[in-house]
Amino acid sequence: MPFADDILYMKNLYTKMPVQEVHGNTYSLEEHVPGLQLRYPGALRGGKTGDYCLYLNDFAPSHTHVVRAVHTYCEISGHDGAESMLCFLEDLATNGLTGTVDLPSPFEIAGHRLEGRQTRVLLYWLILQEDINYPSPRHMGVRMPFVRYTEAVISSILPDLLDIETVVARTAARGGRPAPRFAHTSLSPRFLRTFDVIENMRRSVV
């Protein structure tokens, strides 16, 4: 099932890591995305087994970076771009790395340009951390970033209904259970369908 095998893989890496200092070991993903690697053990308070930090060269992307990038992508591409993003997120949530739906145009995050499958690989590994560090049922696990990314799409199409800074604040919030998915009577069935796909993801916590 999506995410579960690689959560186990990261946890297993902890049992044989040669260096104990934070980010002292690397797992390369450069065959998929130049400059992409996981550095572990992570720095998360409490020392969650399997925790890591994703780096693209010397840049560590966060969910807030992705939220802004999703918003910009859809804002530039309009309704067609929003539809492409929703289809991509649904496929990533359902199929993980084995999915086949790619964005039709490059995805730029904080000045870094990703082409085709590169976007899937980066987002997959960024999202996966949530089931290690903030698993359900207390938290939302991998569902949290998927929900926030979908909200970013909404904010690009319906900014008067949900503005991007609100989505960013919801994404960055820590210290309690994440805010539930955005709800409003004006939301179209299309957005609700994506939220339902996310809600019905098979649990990947192992």
Side-chain angles (χ1 to χ4, degrees), residues 13 23 41 64 105 137 176 206:
L13 281 182
H23 297 176
T64 55
S105 56
V206 290

Side-chain angles (χ1 to χ4, degrees), residues 36-165:
L36 192 66
Q37 60 180 213
L38 312 179
R39 300 179 187 177
Y40 66 97
L44 185 72
R45 192 173 178 180
K48 292 291 182 75
T49 299
D51 181 33
Y52 59 85
C53 188
L54 185 72
Y55 274 87
L56 182 58
N57 297 315
D58 290 324
F59 167 61
S62 68
H63 295 308
T64 55
H65 288 122
V66 177
V67 160
R68 290 194 183 278
V70 168
H71 178 269
T72 299
Y73 182 95
C74 297
E75 197 173 44
I76 291 172
S77 305
H79 284 273
D80 288 344
E83 176 62 24
S84 295
M85 183 62 70
L86 293 176
C87 290
F88 170 73
L89 292 174
E90 290 168 359
D91 185 56
L92 181 61
T94 304
N95 300 306
L97 288 176
T98 65
T100 58
V101 176
D102 289 325
L103 295 175
S105 56
F107 183 74
E108 294 194 14
I109 176 170
H112 299 265
R113 182 184 177 100
L114 301 170
E115 305 272 0
R117 185 173 168 80
Q118 292 179 345
T119 304
R120 176 181 297 274
V121 172
L122 186 144
L123 293 190
Y124 173 86
W125 286 99
L126 185 63
I127 289 168
L128 185 142
Q129 296 175 88
E130 295 298 314
D131 260 356
I132 293 173
N133 297 335
Y134 305 103
S136 57
R138 181 180 179 186
H139 302 283
M140 291 171 65
V142 295
R143 291 180 177 86
M144 186 280 288
F146 278 113
V147 166
R148 301 288 91 93
Y149 300 167
T150 303
E151 291 173 348
V153 180
I154 296 171
S155 73
S156 73
I157 301 299
L158 302 168
D160 293 337
L161 199 64
L162 178 64
D163 67 273
I164 185 57
E165 295 307 323

